Amino acid sequence: MLLARLSQEEVTGRLVGRAHWHPLEVLFWVAAFATIWLFPSKHLILTEIAWLALFALSLDLILGYAGIVSLGHAAFFGFGAYTAALLAKHEIINEPVIALVVAGLAASALGFVTSFLVLRGTDLTRIMVTLGVAFVLREIANQNGWLTGGADGLQGVTMKPILGQFRFDMFGHNGYVYCLVVLFVLFLLARRIVNSPFGLSLQSIRNNPLRASAIGINVNARLIAIYTIAAGYAGIAGALLAQTQAFASLAYFDFERSADLLLVLVIGGTGYLYGGIIGAVVFKFMHDYLAVLTPQYWPFWIGLLLVVLVMVGRERITGWTAPFRRMADRLDWRRLRPRGETTEGR
Amino acid sequence: MLTILFDGIAYGMLLFVLACGLAVTLGLMNFVNLAHGAFAMAGGYVTVVMVNRWGVPFFAALPLAFLFSAVIGLLFERTLYVHVYRKPHLDQVLFTIGLVFMSVAAVDFVMGSQQVFVQLPSWLEGQFTVFGVGIGRYRLLIIVICGVLTVGLQLVLSRTRFGSRLRAAVDDARVARGLGINVNRVFALTFAFGSGLAGLGGALGAEILGLDPIFPLKFMIYFLIVVTVGGTSSITGPFLASLLLGIGDVAGKYYVPTFGSFVIYTIMIVVLIWRPQGLFARPVGR
């Protein structure tokens, strides 16, 4: 209907327009990089935010864009973490960046293999299968203590300097810059992916798989592709954690990690790339605050938050970003040109 | 060998009583309830408090545990769950995980994080031998109670008016509504009853499964396996799935301890891929 009245060029123009950078986005990343100099004493928690944001971004790719509910995303996170830690421990790949890429590729491979399991069935089946995959990996890591250190975790990992230049110092300065740069680069890639025709086709699959296949989209192939990519992202997030901590443990595979991740993403809002990052910031600071307040019982407050989020309605709570987006629209001179009635994101 | 089979059957029966409420509610409302284990835990802890602290006899405590969990279940269903049925599965998952986290932390706060046991009457402890098979008295009791419950449930479902309403609602809720069946009421009652059964299972299982605050998380996957493998369209499916799971788990841990629970998860994934509707489910026209 709407599309029929648009010429090919107009469609392309609108798609390109969608992908333009908002002034607020630029501001966001300038602020993010400014934290390197502004808050040097907070670099340890900021590092955690950076890898958590990347992890949440990875879940957003499959949940927010492709509509796959996963309760076992920690499987890829842990797999990437163990890969990176083992590569460093046995001095197979000494350079952290190359090890990071390898860990990401390994997690992608795992994602590709397991993606066939999530294609079939309903949401419930997917939840079960993703849960099961994470449990199986955790068991494998647990049973092969000679390789992974079993329940004690993988100790004795020493990280070599990044690019042979920058040592992982104990205050986490270099580690933070490293994580932030990786997050930014992968964010750019994800931004490119979701704004491409491929990304749009994913959103159409999320909204209605049947109709998507009716207009000629190969649903399964696209889901496999995005699942593989997201698994690689999660693996890199895990590898970042393993590299900055010089440690890997079974807890990386835990169900709680996958569940917390869902909360992180939901706090920030699903289906737009900044959701995971904003959620990670809010979640980590909240966690930090609550953990000091009630060290043992903070899961209670996390649980309460989840219940309240659902009861009140996720849209209404994450709706607090809407005024900012409207403001951004007004600031944005490029928006003066005619646009379709859809707005970016949800 | 036969002792393991016996233990496995007891374990499986217990799982069935714990999980059958979940199977029915899932089939009825297509509602993903990950917090089912929390109701079981509630029943278990109430029994522990009653028996160990207040000196209530064990057999009097069991029905009370059932009632307690059922009332809590009904309360939660009427106040919170009703608002979530129509929401997407993601919301249901988030909501019930939230409940699980809250229950874990709350029980940890009130009861402490260590594992607790119910003081059983002395005549239930130990085991006796029949034809060379060692039979634990307590496990025998579990099999008897759960067996009676299963038969009772099957009779209620197949013979009573409520049972036929329930089956109609599970098969097709819209048509059932059209026929004047108050599906919401049927569902609330079923939910309460299922929670009560879970509570009873938690009370009975405290001795065998171990009761601590992370119980709902530990057994969540087991309940879900029972439901997804067994299917949600009848209770025979979950029953057979529970038995298989119980026997498989006990035998697996005994014969190949190095694999641990690995086998169970792998089997679950294979079954889900092979038959997403569950092993014993009949095809549902939806």
Side-chain angles (χ1 to χ4, degrees):
Chain A
M1 304 150 295
L2 176 67
L3 276 176
R5 287 190 275 111
L6 295 173
S7 70
Q8 178 80 43
E9 290 80 45
E10 277 171 322
V11 171
T12 319
R14 283 183 190 203
L15 289 184
V16 172
R18 259 175 71 107
H20 270 308
W21 281 80
H22 266 247
L24 270 196
E25 285 188 274
V26 178
L27 197 68
F28 181 92
W29 285 105
V30 169
F33 278 98
T35 56
I36 296 173
W37 295 280
L38 288 180
F39 308 107
S41 60
K42 293 270 184 206
H43 277 178
L44 287 176
I45 189 172
L46 286 172
T47 308
E48 294 193 9
I49 290 175
W51 62 253
L52 185 63
L54 184 60
F55 192 22
L57 179 66
S58 148
L59 183 66
D60 200 17
L61 284 179
I62 58 165
L63 179 68
Y65 285 93
I68 301 174
V69 182
S70 166
L71 263 184
H73 214 48
F76 309 115
F77 184 82
F79 192 69
Y82 269 100
T83 310
L86 284 171
L87 287 177
K89 185 180 182 185
H90 299 292
E91 303 193 339
I92 303 166
I93 297 176
N94 284 318
E95 208 289 305
V97 178
I98 301 175
L100 191 71
V101 173
V102 173
L105 288 177
S108 278
L110 181 70
F112 178 72
V113 174
T114 52
S115 67
F116 295 95
L117 308 181
V118 299
L119 289 180
R120 292 188 64 180
T122 56
D123 277 349
L124 180 67
T125 326
R126 282 175 174 169
I127 289 170
M128 296 287 305
V129 168
T130 50
L131 250 178
V133 169
F135 269 108
V136 165
L137 281 181
R138 191 185 187 281
E139 272 306 305
I140 292 176
N142 191 18
Q143 298 297 336
N144 295 293
W146 57 272
L147 183 67
T148 61
D152 296 332
L154 189 67
Q155 286 161 350
V157 179
T158 41
M159 297 307 302
K160 293 288 184 315
I162 305 158
L163 300 171
Q165 298 282 325
F166 308 103
R167 212 162 43 80
F168 282 98
D169 55 306
M170 79 182 250
F171 304 104
H173 298 315
N174 286 341
Y176 175 54
V177 177
Y178 173 55
C179 288
L180 191 59
V181 169
V182 171
L183 172 65
F184 183 60
V185 170
L186 288 176
F187 174 84
L188 290 181
L189 183 65
R191 203 175 178 285
R192 186 74 190 81
I193 291 173
V194 300
N195 283 319
S196 69
F198 169 71
L200 289 173
S201 73
L202 285 179
Q203 293 174 46
S204 73
I205 292 172
R206 176 196 66 201
N207 290 340
N208 193 328
L210 204 62
R211 287 186 192 170
S213 66
I215 58 170
I217 296 171
N218 186 344
V219 173
N220 280 357
R222 308 255 159 149
L223 288 182
I224 289 172
I226 193 64
Y227 201 75
T228 307
I229 295 171
Y233 269 56
I236 290 177
L240 283 180
L241 173 59
Q243 289 182 339
T244 50
Q245 305 266 320
F247 181 65
S249 84
L250 291 180
Y252 292 0
F253 288 113
D254 272 355
F255 166 73
E256 283 90 338
R257 191 169 291 275
S258 305
D260 282 351
L261 184 68
L262 271 178
L263 176 62
V264 169
L265 189 56
V266 166
I267 292 175
T270 58
Y272 76 110
L273 291 175
Y274 289 92
I277 303 177
I278 295 171
V281 174
V282 176
F283 179 83
K284 268 296 169 194
F285 279 110
M286 193 177 63
H287 180 183
D288 215 37
Y289 178 70
L290 287 175
V292 171
L293 215 62
T294 54
Q296 204 180 345
Y297 308 114
W298 75 273
F300 182 84
W301 303 107
I302 296 289
L304 187 64
L305 184 66
L306 277 169
V307 171
V308 170
L309 265 173
V310 174
M311 281 294 140
V312 179
R314 284 184 288 132
E315 310 76 32
R316 252 180 273 173
I317 288 196
T318 50
W320 60 271
T321 52
F324 293 101
R325 286 191 224 173
R326 271 201 300 278
M327 191 180 79
D329 275 357
R330 234 174 282 147
L331 281 176
D332 196 346
W333 60 93
R334 285 186 305 263
R335 299 275 155 165
L336 293 173
R337 72 171 77 158
R339 297 170 67 237
E341 40 268 49
T342 51
T343 50
E344 195 170 346
R346 277 204 294 170
Chain B
M1 165 65 193
L2 281 174
T3 310
I4 293 169
L5 188 68
F6 180 77
D7 284 1
I9 292 175
Y11 187 38
M13 297 275 243
L14 201 53
L15 279 177
F16 172 69
V17 169
L18 280 164
C20 67
L22 184 64
V24 178
T25 50
L26 192 87
L28 193 52
M29 284 300 206
N30 194 17
F31 178 75
V32 182
N33 183 12
L34 300 179
H36 193 69
F39 297 105
M41 180 170 70
Y45 270 99
V46 159
T47 314
V48 167
V49 169
M50 283 194 296
V51 173
N52 293 8
R53 295 205 190 152
W54 301 343
V56 178
F58 182 66
F59 283 100
L62 289 181
L64 289 175
F66 175 86
L67 268 183
F68 182 75
S69 293
V71 168
I72 291 188
L74 192 64
L75 216 64
F76 270 80
E77 204 277 331
R78 285 289 92 186
T79 52
L80 294 175
Y81 277 79
V82 276
H83 303 293
V84 192
Y85 294 141
R86 288 174 184 284
K87 299 208 172 186
H89 278 141
L90 174 63
D91 277 317
Q92 302 175 353
V93 166
L94 290 170
F95 170 72
T96 50
I97 288 180
L99 284 186
V100 169
F101 280 180
M102 284 170 77
S103 69
V104 167
V107 168
D108 193 353
F109 179 71
V110 178
M111 303 293 296
S113 59
Q114 72 282 15
Q115 198 168 0
V116 292
F117 296 95
V118 181
Q119 287 164 3
L120 295 176
S122 53
W123 57 269
L124 275 176
E125 284 161 14
Q127 57 177 25
F128 57 91
T129 316
V130 181
F131 304 120
V133 182
I135 290 180
R137 289 169 202 263
Y138 187 62
R139 287 187 162 76
L140 183 65
L141 176 80
I142 286 180
I143 292 186
V144 170
I145 294 181
C146 296
V148 169
L149 276 175
T150 310
V151 173
L153 278 178
Q154 186 62 49
L155 284 179
V156 168
L157 271 181
S158 57
R159 295 289 160 84
T160 63
R161 179 158 282 263
F162 180 78
S164 49
R165 278 184 185 151
L166 179 60
R167 278 180 293 135
V170 170
D171 271 359
D172 196 325
R174 278 181 69 185
V175 173
R177 275 208 180 87
L179 290 171
I181 296 173
N182 188 342
V183 175
N184 290 352
R185 223 177 78 107
V186 169
F187 185 71
L189 283 175
T190 316
F191 192 94
F193 197 76
S195 306
L197 281 181
L200 180 64
L204 279 173
E207 195 64 24
I208 293 180
L209 307 175
L211 191 62
D212 53 10
I214 60 164
F215 182 89
L217 283 174
K218 252 193 320 193
F219 286 94
M220 180 178 76
I221 186 109
Y222 280 77
F223 300 155
L224 287 173
I225 290 173
V226 168
V227 172
T228 42
V229 171
T232 53
S233 53
S234 68
I235 63 164
T236 347
F239 180 69
L240 293 176
S242 312
L243 282 185
L244 269 183
L245 179 63
I247 296 169
D249 202 35
V250 169
K253 276 179 182 155
Y254 185 80
Y255 288 114
V256 276
T258 46
F259 285 128
S261 31
F262 182 78
V263 183
I264 298 297
Y265 301 135
T266 318
I267 291 175
M268 174 195 82
I269 294 176
V270 171
V271 167
L272 283 178
I273 297 311
W274 177 39
R275 296 198 55 174
Q277 298 299 326
L279 263 189
F280 308 106
R282 60 204 159 83
V284 187
R286 264 187 212 195

